Amino acid sequence: SVPGTKVELTVSCRNLLDMDTFSKSDPVVVLFVQVSGSSEWKEFGRTEVIDNTLNPDFVRKFVLDYYFEEKQNLRFDVPPGSHSALFGVQDFLGQAFVALGEVIGSQRGRLERPLTGVPGKRCGTILLLAEELSNCRDIVTMQLCANKLDKKDFFGKSDPFLVFYRSNEDGTFTICHKTEVVKNTLNPVWQPFTIPVRALCNGDYDRTVKIDVYDWDRDGSHDFIGEFATSYRELSRAQSQFTVYEVLNPRKKCKKKKYVNSGTVTLLSFSVESEFTFVDYIRGGTQLNFTVAIDFTASNGLPSQPTSLHYASPYQLSAYALALKAVGEIIQDYDSDKLFPAYGFGAKVPPDGKISHQFPLNNNVENPSCAGIEGVLESYLQSLRTVQLYGPTNFAPVINQVAGTAAQVTDGSQYHVLLIITDGVISDMLQTKEAIVTASSLPMSIIIVGVGPAEFEAMEELDGDEVRLSSRGRYAERDIVQFVPFRDYVDDSGNQVLSMARLAKDVLAEIPEQLLSYMKTRDIKPRRADPE
């Protein structure tokens, strides 16, 4: 099915049950989606917790794929706040059931439903607003400061923060951003923040954006300092000049003849970036080139022995072959020529028994490419019969080889993915780190699948998720390595198809982000795909 329209749900509640004896409740709303074709409910997400209120307007939205042709059942639960992750029934504040189509189909996309589920009590209502997201992908970064805000606190100065609202088509307002609180100042400078244009104005540049200035109070009863209004178009003019807004408090304006304002807010900077997706680049013609490197070192055990990681019984592929198939079969869909260079490392190669760290599995030095994943598998099994497993385990030569190819075309039309399958006992850690740091500025990613029972600390270090990888004082420009241990995916039930699908999903999960990070740092835009 073609992906449906994306719909954003905004949630508010009114007149919630008051459970807390000392203060009001701290509500949160949890959304469950019914799995289609079953009676099972799955948690989809939750709003933030808002302290101390019975009438919360939540900032965090739910963005759902909407399919006109399916009934999408939603359930909203209101547990009693953050203190209880697993809430008991006694504290439950209510729930509501609704189909997504009902919200979209109701007048102006607004639906109010009573919350039920607490016997004998009126639980208040839940308000849902559905807006179809325009596919505007621009992202805005802006920074604001204020001057001479009204002093609200008895002892110190104010603790100001801003709340942004976008206006809806019916003239009401929906909260879309809160800044952080800057403590004890009437001249705050807030941190720059980033927000999608569609969240600010749903793609309508002239729609009103309302901004309230508040003084933060610990008890949740924040004092209103004043407000001002603008629009995306007006904000965007600040690219060339500072824009200063007067903060006005309507109540003060009525009461005091000499009232000028409650301070000013200045827009210090405003910039827009287009957010491209992985699919944009693929549709624009970026090719993924897939290279395979397989560990042929003696630590894997003799291929003829059942204990060997390379052992293939008549009934079962080896761990190496399974990993190769799982990852390769997904990636080959993005590779137009389906020709994969495939290498082995760490073996003595005929005829003269020289140790090689990048020998072509198909034995063809001029053209190491194999036709499709099946071709790679065939050449791999052929090599097992002809080479002698040896050592050491050196990754750097094959990484440098792919990096050399990647460096030839850096305009974003080619992206390389190197899959290394290994038992993880690496000998050239220093050279490998150096090779990865160099490769991190090129259009390439490295996937390492660790097979066998080893402790894979060295591989985890190369992965660089916890600590950014460095070599001789140089840090990797971006994270390009994804490591997974094969054993985490071999389930006892023997459902190989499912476990290999999980392996592929986890291994490939970071590739789109890694490709995007390369394109972004090089400021490469996707080429427009020709209209179909």
Side-chain angles (χ1 to χ4, degrees):
S1 155
V2 187
T5 313
K6 289 215 175 293
V7 167
E8 180 187 73
L9 286 182
T10 302
V11 184
S12 304
C13 298
R14 292 294 174 263
N15 307 318
L16 289 172
L17 265 174
D18 200 344
M19 286 297 194
D20 269 355
T21 31
F22 300 109
S23 64
K24 302 187 192 79
S25 300
D26 303 334
V28 56
V29 171
V30 187
L31 168 59
F32 293 85
V33 175
Q34 190 166 30
V35 181
S36 63
S38 82
S39 53
E40 183 196 345
W41 292 92
K42 242 190 165 143
E43 181 174 329
F44 179 86
R46 43 184 68 206
T47 62
E48 76 277 20
V49 176
I50 297 187
D51 291 346
N52 217 1
T53 175
L54 301 179
N55 298 296
D57 294 318
F58 298 100
V59 179
R60 193 177 298 156
K61 322 283 190 206
F62 299 118
V63 176
L64 296 143
D65 283 315
Y66 161 61
Y67 297 97
F68 172 72
E69 64 277 10
E70 283 179 28
K71 189 166 168 63
Q72 294 167 275
N73 291 323
L74 311 177
R75 181 182 104 210
F76 296 88
D77 284 11
V78 190
S82 53
H83 319 303
S84 37
L86 296 165
F87 43 95
V89 175
Q90 71 282 3
D91 291 330
F92 193 55
L93 298 180
Q95 67 181 177
F97 293 83
V98 55
L100 182 54
E102 287 179 86
V103 190
I104 291 166
S106 48
Q107 214 181 353
R108 300 194 316 226
R110 284 172 185 281
L111 185 67
E112 184 166 4
R113 272 284 160 88
L115 289 161
T116 59
V118 184
K121 294 229 167 101
R122 292 170 71 167
C123 303
T125 61
I126 187 164
L127 296 149
L128 301 170
L129 167 70
E131 277 212 66
E132 181 177 328
L133 289 179
S134 66
N135 54 4
C136 166
R137 293 220 197 97
D138 290 349
I139 297 232
V140 170
T141 304
M142 59 176 128
Q143 182 173 24
L144 299 103
C145 69
N147 290 92
K148 300 189 177 157
L149 293 175
D150 285 354
K151 178 172 173 307
K152 288 286 185 187
D153 287 355
F154 195 63
F155 294 113
K157 303 185 172 91
S158 297
D159 304 319
F161 67 96
L162 301 176
V163 183
F164 284 69
Y165 303 86
R166 68 156 185 254
S167 60
N168 301 313
E169 280 154 17
D170 60 0
T172 56
F173 287 93
T174 301
I175 184 167
C176 59
H177 182 75
K178 272 183 198 169
T179 66
E180 79 281 12
V181 176
V182 182
K183 289 287 181 75
N184 200 24
T185 173
L186 302 178
N187 302 299
V189 179
W190 289 280
Q191 295 289 330
F193 69 91
T194 302
I195 184 170
V197 170
R198 57 172 194 232
L200 200 58
C201 64
N202 204 4
D204 173 356
Y205 293 174
D206 296 306
R207 216 184 252 208
T208 304
V209 175
K210 185 165 86 84
I211 299 160
D212 287 351
V213 188
Y214 281 97
D215 166 38
W216 178 86
D217 278 324
R218 177 163 279 111
D219 65 5
S221 62
H222 311 306
D223 300 319
F224 177 70
I225 294 176
E227 64 185 8
F228 61 95
T230 178
S231 66
Y232 174 83
R233 197 178 298 284
E234 198 174 290
L235 288 166
S236 67
R237 292 200 186 109
Q239 286 165 328
S240 47
Q241 80 235 23
F242 286 158
T243 311
V244 180
Y245 295 98
E246 281 196 284
V247 177
L248 299 176
N249 186 326
R251 297 231 314 267
K252 275 192 169 179
K253 208 172 169 181
C254 296
K255 280 189 190 157
K256 296 185 178 173
K257 287 212 169 71
K258 287 188 180 155
Y259 175 78
V260 182
N261 61 35
S262 296
T264 59
V265 167
T266 304
L267 180 59
L268 295 173
S269 65
F270 182 97
S271 60
V272 192
E273 283 187 352
S274 242
E275 196 67 317
F276 297 114
T277 64
F278 179 64
V279 175
D280 290 332
Y281 287 98
I282 299 297
R283 284 190 56 185
T286 297
Q287 282 299 312
L288 293 192
N289 300 287
F290 186 47
T291 303
V292 181
I294 291 178
D295 183 339
F296 279 80
T297 55
S299 48
N300 285 285
L302 276 173
S304 55
Q305 301 296 318
T307 50
S308 168
L309 297 170
H310 280 300
Y311 176 74
S313 77
Y315 313 106
Q316 174 89 344
L317 291 169
S318 71
Y320 276 87
L322 279 171
L324 171 64
K325 241 170 102 77
V327 179
E329 282 179 353
I330 290 186
I331 229 168
Q332 72 180 358
D333 292 344
Y334 298 97
D335 191 315
S336 62
D337 64 6
K338 312 261 186 286
L339 293 174
F340 307 122
Y343 300 95
F345 56 90
K348 284 186 167 176
V349 182
D352 47 10
K354 265 212 188 90
I355 294 167
S356 170
H357 291 293
Q358 57 207 77
F359 60 89
L361 295 184
N362 65 2
N363 216 6
N364 181 344
V365 181
E366 295 307 304
N367 181 11
S369 294
C370 305
I373 293 305
E374 291 308 317
V376 179
L377 276 168
E378 230 165 275
S379 299
Y380 154 68
L381 294 169
Q382 185 56 41
S383 287
L384 275 180
R385 292 195 275 277
T386 53
V387 305
Q388 182 194 344
L389 271 55
Y390 207 72
T393 309
N394 292 352
F395 286 11
V398 76
I399 294 175
N400 288 329
Q401 176 154 357
V402 174
T405 313
Q408 290 166 17
V409 184
T410 55
D411 64 358
S413 61
Q414 304 291 332
Y415 193 88
H416 295 262
V417 178
L418 167 61
L419 170 65
I420 300 175
I421 311 177
T422 175
D423 68 0
V425 188
I426 183 172
S427 322
D428 67 340
M429 189 66 175
L430 292 175
Q431 291 86 335
T432 293
K433 284 164 82 166
E434 180 72 11
I436 290 172
V437 170
T438 302
S440 69
S441 63
L442 295 169
M444 70 179 278
S445 290
I446 300 168
I447 294 168
I448 303 173
V449 176
V451 292
E455 287 302 321
F456 289 113
E457 283 107 340
M459 300 298 108
E460 298 283 7
E461 186 184 339
L462 295 178
D463 189 322
D465 277 351
E466 304 300 321
V467 179
R468 179 59 61 93
L469 190 71
S470 64
S471 169
R472 300 189 304 182
R474 279 196 312 150
Y475 279 84
E477 186 183 306
R478 32 189 265 284
D479 173 19
I480 62 166
V481 180
Q482 166 72 337
F483 166 74
V484 299
F486 185 80
R487 57 167 172 250
D488 291 0
Y489 298 89
V490 183
D491 66 0
D492 307 328
S493 67
N495 187 342
Q496 217 171 42
V497 179
L498 267 180
S499 43
M500 287 306 101
R502 261 181 45 240
L503 170 80
K505 191 170 154 227
D506 288 0
V507 160
L508 297 171
E510 289 187 17
I511 301 275
E513 280 308 312
Q514 291 176 2
L515 179 142
L516 287 173
S517 75
Y518 174 79
M519 301 295 186
K520 211 168 185 176
T521 53
R522 296 292 174 288
D523 200 26
I524 297 169
K525 311 260 186 287
R527 292 192 298 227
R528 295 270 166 247
D530 298 326
E532 328 242 314

